[in-house]
Each structure stands twice: as C-alpha cells, then as structure tokens.
Amino acid sequence: MTSSSDLEQIETRTLSLVRDFSFLHADDPVANSCKAVADAVAQQAVTSSEGGKRLRALLTLDAFRAFAPQDVAERDMDAVLDLACAIEVFQTGALVHDDIIDDSDLRRGKPTNHKVYGETLAILAGDALQPEAFRLIAQAPGLSADSRIAAVEVLANAAGADGMVAGQVLDTLCDVRDEAGLTQLDRLKTCAMISAAAELGCVAAGMDELCLTDHVDTIYWGPEQKPRWDFDWDAVRRQFRQAQEQW
C-alpha cells in the first residue's frame, strides 16, 4: 500500500525537476527581453504540474517494491523516484499538448498554458517537458546502463506512434464509435502510459525481460494475444487534410 509520504516525495521531486530545467539559469545566453517570457512560460508549466493524482508515479514505486529484492529496494529507491517523476514530467508535457488539441480553458482549475501564453509557447513548453523525461531516465542514479536503456524503451513505446500518439490520432481524427474501437482507443491513449508506469518499476527491480513482457501483456491486454494495430493511415491522412482545409 502506497503511503502519503510517497505522494509528497513525488510531488516535491517532480516540481523541483520541472523548475530546475525550465527556468533559465544566470549563465544562459538569452537576451533579457526573452528571459521574462521564458521564465513566465516555465512557471506556467510548473503550475500545471501541481495537484495531479500522480497515479503513474505511484504505480512505478509500488511495482518496484513488489518485485525488487530487499537489498535492491533499499539501495535504488532514489533512482526509482526519478523514474516515477520522469513519467509525470512527460505526462505534464502531454497534457499541455492535449489542452491545445481540445482547446481547453482550464487544467485542474487553473488556466491552461496556451490560454495564457498562446499556442506557440505552449507547444514549445510541452516539447521541452517530454524529452526531459528521457534525460531523467538516462541519468537516473544507481541503475545499470541496461536498465536505463530498457526504461527509455518502455516510455518511448508507450508514448509514441504505437501508444499514446496513436490513441490521440484515433480520438481526434477518426470517427470511433463501436466498442472494439473505443477499447482500442482507450488502451492506446490512456492505458499504454499507465502500463508503462508499472513497467518502469519492474525494470528498476531487475525483472527478467521475458518475465516482464508476460506480466505486462497479461495485465494490460488480458489473456488474449496482444493485438497488432492495423490503422488505415491513408484514411487518417485524408481526414487530416480535410481538417487543415477547414482551418
């Protein structure tokens, strides 16, 4: 059972990481006229990070505790905390972009980034947050090089065209209405990143790759074989071109 102290650590560490990489440092060669805007956008990114459920990060910590040997659990907790926070940093960037797609006014009761600073700066803020998550994983202390590579692959698979991005495409450009299609959309857009959170904890725990794959496929997809997505990308492109013409 995850304690409230886990949530406090995740919140504190995530906000610290976002502030650390977002705000321009004194030695950055940026003109004074740009610095004020850059700092303001960074502050908005910090603000949009506050107060989330941190479900993904908590899953990472719990999966690590469930599968790691006792000596590993005690030794590598700091590294796992950074993995847990990395997926939250990535998720924050994804939400900034999601708010643009949906043209949302509020996120967690606060004005969305693009409503405050415009779409261009909001897109760039999301673009900055997402690769930072991979840097956090690559620099996570205490993990072997193999574990870091495996963790990067886990997040990339879940976030890219085989996961969250594909789900966004189905959600925004395809008229998905049937149960099978909606299930597929949800698994890609939402469940892929939740599954990745648990996978990151398993990777940090040193779980064998084959064992990890069996666990994840069973939990994520159920007893049936993991499906291969067969998108009609030509149809998606046609819908996208039609949307561009309307814009």
Side-chain angles (χ1 to χ4, degrees):
M1 186 71 176
T2 302
S3 68
S4 60
S5 63
D6 283 344
L7 190 56
E8 292 172 5
Q9 288 186 72
I10 291 166
E11 190 72 20
T12 300
R13 180 65 174 150
T14 298
L15 296 180
S16 173
L17 290 167
V18 173
R19 288 191 180 97
D20 183 61
F21 92 87
S22 294
F23 287 107
L24 296 170
H25 300 285
D27 57 353
D28 285 341
V30 179
N32 289 334
S33 60
C34 296
K35 188 177 186 305
V37 175
D39 282 353
V41 175
Q43 179 59 55
Q44 188 67 19
V46 173
T47 298
S48 67
S49 294
E50 294 175 336
K53 298 183 290 296
R54 308 304 187 200
L55 171 63
R56 295 162 188 81
L58 292 171
L59 279 174
T60 300
L61 297 185
D62 279 349
F64 175 72
R65 290 192 180 106
F67 295 106
Q70 186 62 35
D71 61 324
V72 174
E74 293 174 353
R75 184 184 67 237
D76 293 346
M77 200 61 208
D78 287 344
V80 179
L81 181 61
D82 274 6
L83 292 188
C85 292
I87 201 164
E88 289 296 334
V89 170
F90 187 95
Q91 183 69 13
T92 296
L95 292 177
V96 171
H97 287 166
D98 193 50
D99 289 336
I100 297 171
I101 293 172
D102 296 337
D103 195 24
S104 301
D105 294 324
L106 300 174
R107 167 67 61 181
R108 296 168 186 153
K110 301 170 185 175
T112 52
N113 205 304
H114 73 284
K115 291 297 183 180
V116 178
Y117 295 109
E119 288 189 5
T120 298
L121 288 177
I123 290 170
L124 293 173
D127 288 347
L129 284 161
Q130 292 183 343
E132 183 63 16
F134 291 99
R135 177 160 54 181
L136 290 173
I137 293 173
Q139 297 178 350
L143 294 185
S144 68
D146 286 345
S147 291
R148 293 176 187 176
I149 292 170
V152 166
E153 186 177 5
V154 165
L155 183 54
N157 287 339
D162 292 327
M164 184 186 70
V165 171
Q168 283 283 23
V169 170
L170 289 176
D171 191 24
T172 56
L173 297 179
C174 302
D175 188 20
V176 178
R177 295 175 182 270
D178 61 292
E179 181 179 352
L182 290 171
T183 299
Q184 178 176 324
L185 187 159
D186 288 339
R187 281 175 167 171
L188 290 169
K189 183 178 177 181
T190 304
C191 297
M193 290 293 288
I194 293 176
S195 174
E199 289 179 67
L200 288 176
C202 293
V203 167
M207 181 180 287
D208 174 82
E209 182 178 355
L210 182 60
C211 181
L212 170 61
T213 301
D214 289 343
H215 272 77
V216 170
D217 285 354
T218 300
I219 295 170
Y220 183 35
W221 302 109
E224 75 275 13
Q225 183 179 0
K226 182 177 179 180
R228 294 181 179 273
W229 306 120
D230 185 19
F231 294 119
D232 184 354
W233 288 114
D234 288 336
V236 171
R237 292 188 187 97
R238 287 195 297 271
Q239 291 186 49
F240 184 67
R241 284 195 293 270
Q242 291 173 1
Q244 283 182 312
E245 291 172 0
Q246 293 176 0
W247 297 337

